[in-house]
Amino acid sequence: MTPFFTAPRRLAVVLAACGLLGAPAYAAPLPSVVDKVLLQQPSVRSAQALLRATEAQITQVRSDFLPSLGLSYRNSDARDETQGRPVDRNVRRSDASLRWNVFNGAADTSRLRSAAFSRDAADADLDSVLEQVAFEITETYADVVRLRQTMSSLQATIARQERVETSVAQRVDAGRISSAELDLMHVRLIQSRTLLGQLRAQLGTAEYRYRLLTGEAPNELVPPGIRSKTVENDIDALVERIHERNPRLRAALQRSSARKADIGVARGSFFPAVDLSVNKRLDNNTSPVPVSDTDRAAQLQVSIDIPLGGKNLGRHSEAVERHQAAQADADDLLLKVSREITDLYRQFTEAREIAPLTERRVVAAQRVAAAYELHFEAGRRSLNDLSIAQEDLFSAQRALIENRAQQTTLQAQLLSLAGELRETLRTHYQPAPIQPELLGTTPYTPALAAAPVPVVDALPAPEMELAPAAAAKPATAATTESDAASPEQRLEAWAAAWAARDFDAYRAFYVADFQPGKGRSTADWESERRTRVSQAQSPSIHIDNLKLRPRGTERLSTRFTQHYSAGHYRDTVRKQIDWVKVDGQWKIAAETVLAPPAPRPTGPTTEATQ
């Protein structure tokens, strides 16, 4: 027989495992992958060979029930002496015999039963190997998908950290914050990149294992899923069903039955063996013919063998002990399977119950990270708070990814224990991708994405007394503009355009070369504000505590408290907007978020000194 692993084939296997041979651009869904490569696995081929071997044993045992036919032929030359004279004699003789064992204490019957149980055990072993290999492929498939999703989430987090690092570096260069803040970002980035390297190594191992199992590259893998109805909610019913169908347990019980049948084989050795034989001489030709010889004959013979000694007694004792050991192994396996089922089922139900919580955690972490980024830009949160929020977002996304993979793996393992994984993959498989919004760094709901980004482009304005303006009215979209509009009206129209999500009207309130500060260009600011203004969900802007201070005929400053809401987001900040008159119309030249006023320790509440 030609060896399976010939030199060219070994080379092809190694190259395919290393990804050096051409692979299809698209990998089939999980059920197709399992069906395609299942029978190619060495462990499966070994189990199939052992099953065929047990079937051959049954054929051997069955032959003992049939008689045995014997034929003999003799052709000899001899020198005999007859009456003192030597004679050269040639003998040609043929005989036939038929022998049949008619009784041996039912040892053959017990031996046939033992072989049949062994074959059933080998068949159960094959099912167990098939289910185990199917689970290994499923586990590896899910592992590759999990690591790829985790790396994608971490790479998005690193990109976000790098943007913050750039912003912090600009502030450090400007002397506005300590260089220790930049060191903090370096530490966070080093930690993230180190983790990314570890994940990349784990992914390489998982992909290599996938290639070994399937013989193809893991391209375009879709997160696998199995409809949950295949796992029962009643743990007792699940345990009972798995006890009945678990291939390993079935194999152990069949082997115990085979060892019990071997006891019957050993008992048969205590009984006499009765053989019936028929012998017939077919031909006899002797030259020269002796004085007396048998030419034709037929004989019927019955022989009885009575065993003596302790050999058979020892054989019986051995068979009894082996049966007890096999039954103890089956009982031990039953306990192990029961513990394994219970543990896996508890883990699966727990993973399934916390799945909605992991999604909510991601949504909340996205909002916190986005809000902290806004607050950091406004000087209301520290860099450490922002970096912790970003790491919390990645941790939440990683927990969500691992929860999905864990559910699939645990459910597949339970189905494998029940011997139902292959069938379930064919009938109850469905892709289970995670919503892309949950793996992003932007908030899942559009309301937070449209929250205002405060602009801090310079040091806070010096303290000054502002003249009280007329009571500001809530901004409405109906506010009109004109060249003769007062600054109060222009401010109300600015807020109304924002509330109406009309970016073009909103942009028209700023000077053409508006400088947002923080090293950003006017184009970057316009792109960012266009997204946040136009995508807000039912925004509302309310202005109160408005103060005015003229700075000549062409310039003035306004200070006010801004109350902003969009969807579920709420924010209140103090702002200063500097106006300049361009072509007879007031335009925004600078926009600054101010620190909240410090509360007075005593006395009645009054307007804080600005």
Side-chain angles (χ1 to χ4, degrees), residues 210-375:
Y210 181 90
R211 292 189 185 98
L212 289 178
L213 285 173
T214 65
E216 60 183 23
N219 298 327
E220 302 295 333
L221 303 189
V222 180
I226 303 173
R227 290 198 289 274
S228 59
K229 73 175 186 178
T230 56
V231 176
E232 301 178 12
N233 294 324
D234 186 357
I235 180 63
D236 294 331
L238 177 64
V239 171
E240 182 178 357
R241 186 175 107 234
I242 292 181
H243 282 175
E244 295 174 355
R245 299 177 60 89
N246 181 263
R248 285 188 300 163
L249 189 56
R250 283 194 292 114
L253 293 175
Q254 294 295 335
R255 286 194 177 88
S256 176
S257 299
R259 299 292 81 77
K260 185 176 182 180
D262 288 341
I263 297 177
V265 176
R267 286 175 180 172
S269 62
F270 288 104
F271 294 88
V274 179
D275 294 329
L276 176 65
S277 61
V278 177
N279 301 311
K280 182 176 179 59
R281 176 157 295 174
L282 302 178
D283 182 49
N284 184 24
N285 187 4
T286 304
S287 178
V289 179
V291 177
S292 175
D293 197 3
T294 302
D295 187 25
R296 298 286 189 274
Q299 179 181 4
L300 177 65
Q301 177 181 347
V302 177
S303 61
I304 300 177
D305 294 333
I306 301 177
L308 299 175
K311 176 181 178 180
N312 295 330
L313 182 61
R315 182 181 302 171
H316 179 267
S317 299
E318 178 187 1
V320 171
E321 296 300 330
R322 289 189 180 278
H323 170 251
Q324 292 181 356
Q327 186 61 47
D329 289 340
D331 293 340
D332 181 62
L333 182 59
L334 178 64
L335 294 176
K336 291 180 179 179
V337 170
S338 299
R339 288 195 298 266
E340 190 174 3
I341 295 169
T342 304
D343 183 51
L344 292 174
Y345 181 79
R346 299 300 181 195
Q347 293 182 45
F348 173 72
T349 54
E350 184 66 24
R352 188 168 54 179
E353 289 175 0
I354 68 174
L357 300 180
T358 59
E359 293 186 6
R360 275 181 264 176
R361 177 187 173 188
V362 169
V363 173
Q366 286 176 333
R367 293 176 177 173
V368 170
Y372 275 30
E373 185 173 353
L374 301 178
H375 296 165

Side-chain angles (χ1 to χ4, degrees), residues 28-69:
L30 176 60
S32 300
V33 173
V34 172
D35 290 338
K36 179 180 177 181
V37 305
L38 197 59
L39 299 181
Q40 302 175 6
Q41 303 302 310
S43 57
V44 175
R45 299 201 312 272
S46 173
Q48 290 174 326
L50 291 176
L51 176 59
R52 292 192 295 268
T54 57
E55 291 174 347
Q57 286 180 344
I58 293 179
T59 303
Q60 296 176 44
V61 174
R62 283 176 177 170
S63 66
D64 293 337
F65 288 88
L66 301 176
S68 59
L69 177 64

Side-chain angles (χ1 to χ4, degrees), residues 471-477 479 492 495-496 540-544:
K473 300 177 182 179
T476 63
T479 304
E492 292 178 6
S540 174
I541 301 93
H542 182 79
I543 293 174
D544 57 20

Side-chain angles (χ1 to χ4, degrees), residues 31-278:
S32 300
V33 173
V34 172
D35 290 338
K36 179 180 177 181
V37 305
L38 197 59
L39 299 181
Q40 302 175 6
Q41 303 302 310
S43 57
V44 175
R45 299 201 312 272
S46 173
Q48 290 174 326
L50 291 176
L51 176 59
R52 292 192 295 268
T54 57
E55 291 174 347
Q57 286 180 344
I58 293 179
T59 303
Q60 296 176 44
V61 174
R62 283 176 177 170
S63 66
D64 293 337
F65 288 88
L66 301 176
S68 59
L69 177 64
L71 295 173
S72 65
Y73 173 75
R74 178 185 176 189
N75 186 349
S76 65
D77 293 322
R79 178 179 287 271
D80 297 340
E81 286 192 7
T82 302
Q83 297 178 355
R85 292 183 302 172
V87 176
D88 292 331
R89 181 174 286 116
N90 176 258
V91 178
R92 293 192 299 273
R93 183 177 296 167
S94 58
D95 297 310
S97 64
L98 184 67
R99 183 176 179 276
W100 195 1
N101 177 259
V102 295
F103 180 74
N104 62 356
D108 290 340
T109 302
S110 297
R111 190 175 292 111
L112 179 61
R113 293 177 62 246
S114 175
F117 285 130
S118 297
R119 180 201 52 196
D120 293 341
D123 186 60
D125 284 336
L126 177 59
D127 286 341
S128 177
V129 172
L130 289 171
E131 291 294 321
Q132 181 62 31
V133 173
F135 168 71
E136 290 179 2
I137 296 173
T138 302
E139 182 183 34
T140 305
Y141 191 105
D143 202 34
V144 172
V145 173
R146 174 185 65 84
L147 289 170
R148 287 179 175 176
Q149 291 177 329
T150 305
M151 285 184 60
S152 177
S153 174
L154 181 56
Q155 287 168 345
T157 300
I158 291 175
R160 199 168 190 175
Q161 290 176 332
E162 288 174 344
R163 291 196 298 269
V164 174
E165 180 190 35
T166 301
S167 176
V168 171
Q170 292 173 351
R171 297 187 185 190
V172 171
D173 292 341
R176 296 167 58 184
I177 59 176
S178 170
S179 60
E181 301 287 358
L182 186 58
D183 292 335
L184 173 62
M185 285 310 304
H186 289 164
V187 171
R188 300 296 189 192
L189 276 169
I190 290 172
Q191 292 174 343
S192 298
R193 289 165 180 162
T194 301
L195 179 58
L196 182 62
Q198 295 172 354
L199 292 174
R200 189 179 294 111
Q202 295 175 18
L203 177 61
T205 302
E207 290 178 339
Y208 180 76
R209 184 185 178 197
Y210 181 90
R211 292 189 185 98
L212 289 178
L213 285 173
T214 65
E216 60 183 23
N219 298 327
E220 302 295 333
L221 303 189
V222 180
I226 303 173
R227 290 198 289 274
S228 59
K229 73 175 186 178
T230 56
V231 176
E232 301 178 12
N233 294 324
D234 186 357
I235 180 63
D236 294 331
L238 177 64
V239 171
E240 182 178 357
R241 186 175 107 234
I242 292 181
H243 282 175
E244 295 174 355
R245 299 177 60 89
N246 181 263
R248 285 188 300 163
L249 189 56
R250 283 194 292 114
L253 293 175
Q254 294 295 335
R255 286 194 177 88
S256 176
S257 299
R259 299 292 81 77
K260 185 176 182 180
D262 288 341
I263 297 177
V265 176
R267 286 175 180 172
S269 62
F270 288 104
F271 294 88
V274 179
D275 294 329
L276 176 65
S277 61
V278 177

